[in-house]
Amino acid sequence: MIEIVFDHVTKMFRDEIALEDVSFEIEKGEFVFITGKSGAGKSTLLHLLMKQEEVTSGQITACGKRVDLIKKNKIPYYRRKIGIMSPDIGMLGDRTVYDNIMLALMAAGKDDRKMRSRILRALGLVGIAGKANAFPNELSGGEQARALLARALSTEPQVLLADEPTANLDPDMSWDLMQLFDEVNYHGITVLVASHARELVTIMKKRNITLVAGTVAADEKNAIYNPIATDIFEERRIREERKKNEKKCNISNKCSDI
């Protein structure tokens, strides 16, 4: 069963192309890495899935919904199916871990009698049930990452999106977090992780979609980190080819106006 579809998706910010003609399908229950250097389009891809950005052209389908067609007042209902672990959405420093997760559940419309059990279950899943009443600044880096993961899982999502989740962690903590992602995936949740952590991607040997200059340069299963992700010559080739195509289009448009 297909969970996520990108169908010739392009995203532009003013005159800059962030993603160009991106197409792929992800099956329900897959674990997929999105890799590429900074500026390759990894975060933009996840933001489009989160409905934090709008597509310029193309179609996105996720959790049975045409994401690009979802109206503003329906976005919160769609996001209930998406667990988001992002550095852009940190914990509130003046609230406990428990209260931070409670706010996320309330925002998702799950403020029912099961809220307490949902929170404690999510914290238990990531191994920090004893930190429910701690404040974020009282947690280690690894514990903060686990708390963010617990918050993402508390709504019982169909899909988990993680944007550079190991960026500020040491190798041991990063590996522990990856094992938690693997456990989450084992229970049937579709997992997408945007990452440039070469060693982890190589060790995990999951499907790897490699982005270069906003285009899909490789899509491999049981993959190691593809070196094309950091190949400056490949990036330069794509950008130069893009410029040539733009010039051709401009010339063609001028000719048609004559």
Side-chain angles (χ1 to χ4, degrees), residues 6-13 15-24 39-42 44-45 48 55-58 209-217 234-235 237-247 249:
F6 271 58
D7 186 8
H8 298 286
V9 171
T10 293
K11 174 61 181 177
M12 297 186 67
F13 294 101
D15 294 329
E16 182 180 351
I17 297 174
L19 292 175
E20 183 178 30
D21 198 31
V22 170
S23 294
F24 59 79
K42 304 187 300 297
T44 298
L45 189 152
L48 290 173
V55 301
T56 302
S57 62
I209 296 175
T210 305
L211 296 179
V212 177
T215 65
V216 175
E234 178 65 11
E235 181 181 4
R237 182 192 68 77
I238 291 172
R239 293 191 186 279
E240 287 178 351
E241 187 174 304
R242 188 176 289 161
K243 287 180 180 179
K244 288 179 183 178
N245 290 335
E246 288 174 357
K247 286 181 180 178
C249 288

Side-chain angles (χ1 to χ4, degrees), residues 64-166:
K65 299 288 184 181
R66 271 285 302 277
V67 180
D68 53 298
L69 297 181
I70 296 175
K71 295 182 179 179
K72 190 173 182 179
N73 65 332
K74 299 295 184 182
I75 292 175
Y77 300 99
Y78 163 69
R79 286 182 180 160
R80 291 178 186 179
K81 301 177 181 180
I82 309 290
I84 301 169
M85 184 180 175
S86 169
D88 297 334
I89 314 172
M91 291 276 184
L92 297 175
D94 61 344
R95 304 291 180 98
T96 65
V97 171
Y98 183 97
D99 288 340
N100 268 281
I101 298 176
M102 180 178 68
L103 288 173
L105 285 170
M106 291 174 67
K110 294 186 180 290
D111 52 341
D112 53 24
R113 288 178 296 175
K114 295 181 180 179
M115 181 179 287
R116 179 176 173 79
S117 63
R118 289 179 195 273
I119 295 172
L120 296 179
R121 180 173 180 272
L123 290 170
L125 284 173
V126 301
I128 56 167
K131 299 291 184 177
N133 295 317
F135 288 87
N137 64 358
E138 297 173 333
L139 304 178
S140 68
E143 288 170 342
Q144 288 180 20
R146 287 170 182 251
L148 289 173
L149 178 56
R151 186 178 65 182
L153 295 175
S154 65
T155 59
E156 300 174 348
Q158 290 178 224
V159 176
L160 174 65
L161 306 179
D163 192 1
E164 298 289 2
T166 63

Side-chain angles (χ1 to χ4, degrees), residues 16-36:
E16 182 180 351
I17 297 174
L19 292 175
E20 183 178 30
D21 198 31
V22 170
S23 294
F24 59 79
E25 294 182 350
I26 294 175
E27 292 185 6
K28 183 175 177 60
E30 266 199 282
F31 187 132
V32 182
F33 281 106
I34 310 294
T35 61

Side-chain angles (χ1 to χ4, degrees), residues 178-190:
M178 281 299 150
Q179 289 182 305
L180 285 173
F181 285 139
D182 211 19
E183 180 69 17
V184 167
N185 179 241
Y186 177 78
H187 288 288
I189 296 176
T190 305

